[in-house]
Every structure is written in structure tokens, then in C-alpha cells.
Amino acid sequence: MTIDKETVEKVAHLARLELSETEKEDMIQDMSKILDFMAKLNELDTTGVEPLVYMTEGANILREDVVKQQITHEEALENAPKHDENYFLVAKVIEK
């Protein structure tokens, strides 16, 4: 696959990027280098190589999920910039 100006413009559009002509030329070179590197990787014989899923063989040790009260309701509201006796007060973001 070759990278041309149209390909760079399409990728830039999908990524919502505005590129100057100089940047487009630089991207053509950079993307071509990436594809060349991928082609080199495809030359390797990987038959018999198991896919790597995890870097280590250790398993995750998970704690049991237990619900418990860490702070009181009043303590939670203490550092809030705005609150009433029960709730945090925040700016309205949805109009009816």
C-alpha cells in the first residue's frame, strides 16, 4: 500500500485534523515509514509462536467487594463548595 496525499487527507479528516501542505508531506513520509516497518515485521516466521496475552504469568488477586461506610454524610459534604443539608449543589447543565 502506498500513502498519497488523498490518503493523508482522508485520515486527517477522520481524525478531525487540519494539516498544512508541509504537514501533509511530512505525514506521507511518516506513514510510509510505518508501513515499511510493518512489512518487515510480516517477513518474520511466527509459526509455532504462542500469542502473548499477558506480560507475566501471575494472576490477579482480587479482594472481595464489601460495601462499608467510610465517611459520614456530613463529612462528605464538608469540603463541597456548595451544598445544602443533604446534597451537593452543582450548576444546572440540562434544560427542560
Side-chain angles (χ1 to χ4, degrees):
M1 178 179 181
T2 58
I3 302 295
D4 56 5
K5 189 175 176 181
E6 284 181 18
T7 305
V8 170
E9 287 173 349
K10 182 176 180 180
V11 171
H13 174 73
L14 291 172
R16 305 294 192 256
L17 298 174
E18 291 183 22
L19 300 176
S20 67
E21 291 302 315
T22 306
E23 290 172 324
K24 288 177 186 176
E25 293 300 320
D26 291 342
M27 287 301 286
I28 290 172
Q29 293 174 7
D30 290 345
M31 291 172 79
S32 295
K33 287 179 186 176
I34 292 169
L35 289 179
D36 291 343
F37 180 72
M38 295 304 295
K40 283 196 178 288
L41 289 178
N42 287 333
E43 293 173 6
L44 294 173
D45 181 19
T46 57
T47 54
V49 176
E50 290 292 320
L52 180 65
V53 178
Y54 300 105
M55 296 301 291
T56 62
E57 294 182 19
N60 286 338
I61 300 172
L62 303 174
R63 64 172 170 77
E64 191 167 330
D65 194 14
V66 178
V67 177
K68 56 185 175 179
Q69 185 68 29
Q70 295 291 324
I71 61 174
T72 66
H73 192 81
E74 291 76 23
E75 289 172 331
L77 293 172
E78 256 178 30
N79 293 321
K82 292 183 181 180
H83 62 85
D84 61 14
E85 62 275 353
N86 292 314
Y87 302 103
F88 295 104
L89 299 176
V90 297
K92 184 177 179 180
V93 294
I94 299 177
E95 298 292 330
K96 287 186 177 185

